[in-house]
Amino acid sequence: MATIIDGKKTSQDIKNEIATRVAEIKTEGGKIPHLAAILVGNDGASQTYVGAKVKACHEIGFESTLVRLDETISEEELLAKVEEINANPDIDGLIVQLPLPKHISVEKVTDKIKPEKDVDGFTPSNVGRMALNWPAYVAATPYGIVELLKRYNIETSGKHCVVIGRSHIVGSPMSILMARNGYPGNATVTLTHSRTQNLKEIAQTADILIVALGKPEFVTADMVKPGAVVIDVGIHRVEDASKKSGFRLIGDVKFDEVAEKASAITPVPGGVGPMTIASLLYNTLLAAEKKVYG
Ligand code: GUN
């Protein structure tokens, strides 16, 4: 049976570390980190995520501002709001919760965020800096995975890492981070996607398998090498009448059978998911202390 990589505990450890630093900053009379989040419209999942981010800020002693905007807001008005926050010296980090309504260009809005405040790590500047192995805000999910690998002392140098999924926010940056010269990194990386042929055979050669394609229980035990480390980024609701909520959460990996074969695995829930908020808070602390852009 594999080691269960506990993202819930690890994210709490990181939050405690950040809270300790915030308490020190307060004692030193320094700048309290301040995160602003813009939420457009009434999407249920987005409201839950943003609510959790604001709550986490409160728990660790950060200041936060939630800007709620109507779904009918124009692109121009949203861009003006981003500029206003860019120019506000009290705010260290800014996130615009995605998805945005269809009439608004995600690219235009992302590009408007000042890179120094882009604690989601979504702007071209931060993606480029990450790829160059410069100081950067790394996006929440890839950064969360990097921290889990580090804190569980998982060897990555010289290993074959197979990433399934090439999204801008997970698969693609993960492939860059695993290949870079450092730890975690120095892996031989294969980035696979919907056009990949022989995916099963490639997955079977992975020492580290990072699964972020968004298909429930896609990875089965026959796709996994004995002793592999398996990181599951997927999260899906499935109906379950035995639960009070009427549903349960599953990942992109068939957990029970893969856990029998892997040496370490992240569960869903309680694996990668909880790490994303810890990453965002960490980036906001870096922003307040001017550790990335100086
Ligand atoms: N929507 C889903 N994930 C994210 C995220 O990490 N940041 C933002 N801004 N929106 C999201």
Side-chain angles (χ1 to χ4, degrees):
M1 184 68 190
T3 299
I4 306 297
I5 299 177
D6 187 344
K8 201 170 165 198
K9 180 189 173 295
T10 308
S11 76
Q12 191 56 54
D13 290 347
I14 294 173
K15 283 196 257 181
N16 293 344
E17 291 160 18
I18 299 173
T20 303
R21 180 66 197 129
V22 175
E24 280 171 14
I25 292 172
K26 281 188 183 160
T27 318
E28 293 161 2
K31 166 89 182 59
I32 307 296
H34 185 167
L35 175 70
I38 299 180
L39 174 60
V40 183
N42 297 308
D43 179 74
S46 290
Q47 290 186 51
T48 307
Y49 291 140
V50 172
K53 291 170 186 178
V54 169
K55 182 165 162 259
C57 281
H58 181 72
E59 280 168 8
I60 62 163
F62 282 9
E63 287 174 15
S64 65
T65 298
L66 173 58
V67 179
R68 292 206 62 162
L69 300 172
D70 196 84
E71 179 156 83
T72 57
I73 191 170
S74 70
E75 186 178 270
E76 258 183 5
E77 286 169 300
L78 177 56
L79 292 171
K81 193 73 204 172
V82 170
E83 282 200 328
E84 180 191 317
I85 296 175
N86 282 343
N88 181 343
D90 191 56
I91 295 175
D92 303 296
L94 165 62
I95 62 167
V96 178
Q97 188 66 26
L98 305 178
L100 288 171
K102 284 200 178 59
H103 66 279
I104 298 177
S105 156
V106 178
E107 286 80 7
K108 271 195 197 162
V109 173
T110 303
D111 213 21
K112 187 62 82 181
I113 299 171
K114 198 176 171 187
E116 288 89 339
K117 297 195 179 190
D118 167 34
V119 289
D120 256 334
F122 287 173
T123 59
S125 170
N126 278 303
V127 175
R129 290 171 72 104
M130 183 271 300
L132 289 166
N133 211 359
W134 291 10
Y137 299 117
V138 177
T141 306
Y143 187 76
I145 295 171
V146 161
E147 278 301 303
L148 287 174
L149 295 172
K150 245 195 231 174
R151 288 170 187 248
Y152 279 81
N153 294 313
I154 291 172
E155 182 59 82
T156 59
S157 179
K159 301 292 182 190
H160 185 204
C161 174
V162 174
V163 180
I164 307 182
R166 59 177 160 187
S167 70
H168 290 326
I169 58 175
V170 189
S172 167
M174 220 44 241
S175 69
I176 295 169
L177 292 167
M178 294 304 287
R180 72 180 178 177
N181 188 354
Y183 176 75
N186 285 322
T188 304
V189 178
T190 304
L191 179 59
T192 69
H193 46 76
S194 53
R195 306 289 174 92
T196 298
Q197 293 178 356
N198 307 323
L199 178 61
K200 180 175 168 181
E201 287 73 18
I202 295 169
Q204 283 169 339
T205 67
D207 302 304
I208 301 166
L209 185 61
I210 299 175
V211 193
L213 85 164
K215 286 195 182 163
E217 298 186 330
F218 177 82
V219 170
T220 45
D222 59 329
M223 295 169 74
V224 175
K225 177 166 147 177
V229 173
V230 179
I231 306 291
D232 186 354
V233 182
I235 184 151
H236 313 275
R237 275 185 181 194
V238 287
E239 280 185 28
D240 185 339
S242 72
K243 300 276 180 194
K244 234 197 309 186
S245 59
F247 70 88
R248 74 191 153 89
L249 296 172
I250 59 169
D252 285 355
V253 174
K254 208 157 187 183
F255 182 84
D256 290 345
E257 61 178 54
V258 174
E260 293 283 324
K261 222 169 162 187
S263 63
I265 185 167
T266 59
V268 177
V272 173
M275 292 297 292
T276 59
I277 287 186
S279 305
L280 176 67
L281 298 172
Y282 180 71
N283 280 344
T284 306
L285 177 64
L286 291 179
E289 300 206 278
K290 309 220 177 313
K291 290 271 174 71
V292 173
Y293 283 81

